[in-house]
Amino acid sequence: MKACGIVHKYGDNVDTDVIIPARYLNSSDPAELAGHCMEDIDTDFVKRVQKGDIMVANKNFGCGSSREHAPIAIKASGISCVIAETFARIFYRNAINIGLPIIECPEAAEAIEAGDTVEIDFDSGMIYDKTKGTEYKGQAFPPFMQKIIESEGLINYINENK
Amino acid sequence: MGMTMTQKILAAHAGLESVEAGQLIEANLDLVLANDITGPVAIHEVEKLNKKTVFDKDKVALVPDHFAPNKDIKSAEHCKCVREYAKEHGITNYFEVGQMGIEHALLPEKGLIVAGETCIGADSHTCTYGALGAFSTGVGSTDMGCGMITGQAWFKVPSAIKFILTGKPSKWVSGKDVILHIIGMIGVDGALYKSMEFTGDGVANLSMDDRFAISNMAIEAGAKNGIFPVDDKTIAYMEEHSKKKYTVYEADEDAIYDAEYTIDLSKLEPTVAFPHLPENTKTVSEAGEVKIDQVVIGSCTNGRIEDLRTAAEILKGRKVADGIRVIVIPATQAIYMQAIEEGLVQIFIHAGAIVSTPTCGPCLGGYMGILAAGERAVSTTNRNFVGRMGHVDSEVYLASPAVAAASAVTGKISQPSELGL
């Protein structure tokens, strides 16, 4: 499986309150949530984002609230993968559980810039910055998590295994 | 190899003799929790599971508290979804408005979680119950939903950071100041993926309400959980509130920690976290002149009876500064009733504050105290992210109930000593 798209770049500690502000949590509809994704730190994101685009951020992405609405909003906005130096732990679990691909890679998170075209090969964990002509090796998932991802989320995994 | 307190609880719930950091396990759950925001997403997800019934109707707790009492039509639909699911599945621990409180104050008060148990909750502040010597951690809705049906969750066994607390905090220093100090020291990802284990002879000088506030904000340092050893105070609390059998786990002498910090509680001062991260801490003495518009005293961090007593001690016979809105939110009905019986509610209203029914409301910018552009609040809540309590150009300063109450009187960030207390 591969993803390829234009990069939207953010800094450290992007919290789930800015990914999807609580004032919109009276809805759980993915399309409605996507319409407000990132609006408190990047008002134009929703207008700019194209299907397949990639989000890149520095450390502790997705910190704060456990709201699964955050990865749901990102996925529904069209983002195909989030690359970060590190992810906050609840966001990490939530992304895997709902089938939003994420990769930890400090080097890629540092070097890749907004507007770059990036391709990710999920089988090998390789990240290619096509604009810069550079490549990075992302951290592979442990086999257990790989199985959840292959099942396209925790629900299917449990249906298949329990 | 020795195990931490957290590792011992996880090993016991995974049916293993021992576990080590990094190991992936499946653990049995003693309690699974969701609220009116995360519950509907979980309920929608579990409809896709082959198995439809909950694993144990006594071990699921559903608490509409975030946008309840219903703030608008959409929130009303969410609360209705949770209510109907609870009814359909015979969930014992569903708490309707009237019995409802802020979940992390309510569940320990109702005795639903005790030492040695494991709990997941679809709310990041589920880590609060570490104060009781339980393993509890926040998860998302899908994890919660699957836990509710299967009674199990997968975990990567965490490594740990040890915080050795010594000494006795001074009169106006509370658990909130301790945890803000720690987050200021290690940062908002300082304990990422790890346990925070609190120990040392200073623990005995912290009340249960102090400990709940400390464990509550472990997530603000990125931690998986924040756990206290079980002592006489913990046992007294559990015996007062619960009929459940508890199990005491202690970390091994040779348990391995990634880092150790020693904190002398007697040296700590009232502390405040400046916008827009809980790690941006300063002592109130260093804060300078920060004028405010609103004060919130409440939340799963600081809406307990001791918090209200402290605030009332400062507000008694004083008036809220002109133009400052002060919102006091007892975290549960029992706390609210106790505050009435002790005369605290009268003190708040005489001072010019309002007192609300239990709700998370303003903490997450839901309702009941939203900030306009340019406004500032001193709040006893747990997050001060951009836009957390309202407009993206508003500011939240996190502090203890003592600092919040003193600030309400002066109209700027202050500590009780500035009022001659």
Side-chain angles (χ1 to χ4, degrees):
Chain A
M1 200 171 89
K2 281 184 180 177
C4 186
I6 308 285
V7 167
H8 303 261
K9 182 80 189 272
Y10 302 98
D12 290 337
N13 305 314
V14 173
D15 61 75
T16 53
D17 274 274
V18 296
I19 295 172
I20 183 71
R23 60 184 177 275
Y24 303 118
L25 297 185
N26 55 6
S27 170
S28 47
D29 174 49
E32 199 173 333
L33 294 171
H36 300 289
C37 189
M38 312 303 283
E39 80 175 26
D40 281 1
I41 53 165
D42 185 356
T43 46
D44 292 333
F45 171 79
V46 172
K47 289 179 214 152
R48 261 193 350 263
V49 66
Q50 300 286 325
K51 191 166 170 51
D53 279 0
I54 287 161
M55 205 175 263
V56 181
N58 297 114
K59 65 172 188 171
N60 204 25
F61 185 88
C63 63
S65 156
S66 70
R67 60 190 71 161
E68 204 159 292
H69 313 64
I72 290 171
I74 291 173
K75 190 180 178 190
S77 75
I79 291 290
S80 63
C81 180
V82 186
I83 302 169
E85 185 181 331
T86 52
F87 290 93
R89 56 163 289 277
I90 302 176
F91 184 92
Y92 187 97
R93 290 182 75 106
N94 287 349
I96 289 169
N97 286 342
I98 68 152
L100 170 69
I102 56 171
I103 295 188
E104 283 192 343
C105 183
E107 298 77 19
E110 176 71 31
I112 294 171
E113 291 179 295
D116 288 1
T117 298
V118 164
E119 186 179 280
I120 300 147
D121 183 334
F122 293 111
D123 298 324
S124 65
M126 289 304 295
I127 300 163
Y128 305 94
D129 186 329
K130 295 184 148 185
T131 306
K132 292 193 168 58
T134 49
E135 61 178 54
Y136 311 91
K137 176 92 175 113
Q139 199 180 17
F141 289 113
F144 174 76
M145 278 182 228
Q146 193 72 45
K147 278 190 208 159
I148 297 177
I149 293 164
E150 282 165 12
S151 302
E152 295 179 4
L154 188 63
I155 296 281
N156 292 338
Y157 174 80
I158 286 176
N159 279 339
E160 289 160 16
N161 292 280
K162 300 251 170 188
Chain B
M1 191 165 54
M3 288 191 283
T4 66
M5 191 175 169
T6 298
Q7 289 166 355
K8 282 194 174 174
I9 297 173
L10 287 175
H13 285 78
L16 299 168
E17 284 279 308
S18 69
V19 294
E20 57 184 66
Q23 188 175 343
L24 284 159
I25 58 158
E26 280 199 303
N28 293 320
L29 302 169
D30 298 302
L31 186 65
V32 180
L33 161 74
N35 57 50
D36 55 307
I37 288 181
T38 58
V41 177
I43 289 164
H44 179 71
E45 282 301 306
V46 299
E47 282 169 1
K48 301 174 202 160
L49 283 173
N50 299 335
K51 182 170 181 280
K52 302 292 178 195
T53 51
V54 301
F55 83 106
D56 186 333
K57 63 185 176 57
D58 296 331
K59 293 183 179 177
V60 175
L62 297 173
V63 187
D65 59 355
H66 276 58
F67 292 166
N70 307 339
K71 87 177 178 91
D72 54 23
I73 295 168
K74 286 179 173 178
S75 304
E77 296 292 344
H78 275 178
C79 289
K80 188 179 171 194
C81 165
V82 174
R83 181 181 304 119
E84 288 180 347
Y85 186 87
K87 198 173 175 190
E88 186 189 334
H89 292 265
I91 305 292
T92 319
N93 299 302
Y94 168 76
F95 297 96
E96 190 55 85
V97 169
Q99 285 78 48
M100 169 278 269
I102 296 176
E103 50 197 334
H104 308 308
L106 186 69
L107 268 48
E109 180 188 288
K110 294 287 184 189
L112 297 181
I113 177 89
V114 293
E117 294 191 318
T118 58
C119 169
I120 60 167
D123 187 278
S124 59
H125 294 108
T126 302
C127 51
T128 306
Y129 322 131
L132 293 167
F135 172 80
S136 65
T137 192
V139 295
S141 295
T142 300
D143 270 325
M144 181 275 166
C146 292
M148 176 166 74
I149 300 296
T150 66
Q152 288 191 318
W154 66 269
F155 297 106
K156 194 169 174 179
V157 175
S159 62
I161 301 177
K162 187 179 192 175
F163 296 88
I164 303 161
L165 310 179
T166 67
K168 188 176 179 187
S170 57
K171 163 89 176 157
W172 299 112
V173 170
S174 69
K176 183 63 163 289
D177 301 288
V178 176
I179 191 64
L180 287 176
H181 173 80
I182 288 172
I183 297 165
M185 189 170 69
I186 67 172
V188 292
D189 65 346
L192 191 59
Y193 309 133
K194 300 176 197 293
S195 298
M196 295 170 80
E197 296 208 355
F198 303 100
T199 180
D201 57 19
V203 169
N205 297 320
L206 295 171
S207 69
M208 286 312 297
D209 286 2
D210 284 325
R211 298 180 203 181
F212 282 124
I214 292 170
S215 289
N216 174 273
M217 287 188 70
I219 179 68
E220 310 315 332
K224 180 171 254 173
N225 67 322
I227 195 165
F228 277 87
V230 176
D231 66 5
D232 293 346
K233 283 184 183 170
T234 330
I235 290 169
Y237 183 94
M238 292 189 291
E239 286 180 348
E240 184 187 344
H241 291 274
S242 187
K243 292 191 175 73
K244 288 177 92 172
K245 191 171 167 290
Y246 60 85
T247 312
V248 178
Y249 292 91
E250 289 176 3
D252 287 325
E253 291 280 331
D254 60 344
I256 293 169
Y257 294 91
D258 290 346
E260 286 188 20
Y261 297 95
T262 300
I263 294 157
D264 183 349
L265 301 176
S266 70
K267 298 263 171 63
L268 298 186
E269 290 184 42
T271 300
V272 57
F274 275 52
H276 288 285
L277 283 175
E279 71 183 21
N280 294 337
T281 56
K282 292 180 185 185
T283 62
V284 175
S285 319
E286 299 165 340
E289 175 111 349
V290 182
K291 291 199 168 160
I292 58 168
D293 304 284
Q294 179 169 295
V295 170
V296 175
I297 298 171
S299 83
C300 61
T301 316
N302 281 130
R304 296 183 180 81
I305 193 65
E306 274 184 18
D307 301 316
L308 302 186
R309 284 179 188 144
T310 300
E313 192 178 340
I314 292 163
L315 289 171
K316 188 172 187 178
R318 294 187 171 82
K319 288 284 180 194
V320 164
D322 275 351
I324 310 293
R325 293 111 54 184
V326 181
I327 302 165
V328 181
I329 309 176
T332 68
Q333 291 289 83
I335 294 167
Y336 199 170
M337 188 65 92
Q338 197 172 348
I340 290 169
E341 286 167 0
E342 292 183 14
L344 311 183
V345 169
Q346 252 180 321
I347 292 170
F348 294 135
I349 294 173
H350 276 307
I354 65 151
V355 182
S356 158
T357 195
T359 181
C360 304
C363 171
L364 73 163
Y367 69 128
M368 282 284 294
I370 305 302
L371 299 173
E375 290 190 329
R376 294 193 185 117
V378 169
S379 179
T380 69
T381 55
N382 41 53
R383 290 192 176 125
N384 56 353
F385 299 149
V386 170
R388 174 75 179 179
M389 199 177 275
H391 197 279
V392 290
D393 295 326
S394 63
E395 294 181 344
V396 177
Y397 295 74
L398 304 175
S400 68
V403 169
S407 304
V409 174
T410 62
K412 61 188 178 67
I413 292 178
S414 303
Q415 52 192 326
S417 60
E418 293 168 49
L419 304 173
L421 289 163

